[in-house]
Amino acid sequence: MMELIKDLWAFMKERKKFWLAPIIIILLLLGTLIVLAQGSAIAPFIYTLF
């Protein structure tokens, strides 16, 4: 996982694509939220947000 993060950072730094960082962070947060909420009691409340 750390290797992937290092590669992404090197890519963004080399090609000056720092605008990708917020997109990647939001996608990771949404993915984590969906994975954690699938088996929990708060799942119905999270799904109403979307």
Side-chain angles (χ1 to χ4, degrees):
M1 186 65 175
M2 289 304 292
E3 176 108 12
L4 177 65
I5 294 170
K6 287 179 186 178
D7 284 342
L8 279 172
W9 180 253
F11 170 78
M12 289 189 296
K13 196 164 100 173
E14 182 178 326
R15 306 212 187 237
K16 307 288 189 234
K17 303 258 185 211
F18 293 109
W19 55 270
L20 287 173
I23 296 170
I24 293 170
I25 291 170
I26 288 178
L27 285 174
L28 287 173
L29 288 174
L30 283 175
T32 304
L33 179 68
I34 289 171
V35 167
L36 291 176
Q38 266 185 336
S40 71
I42 61 170
F45 300 110
I46 291 175
Y47 289 125
T48 59
L49 294 175
F50 300 106

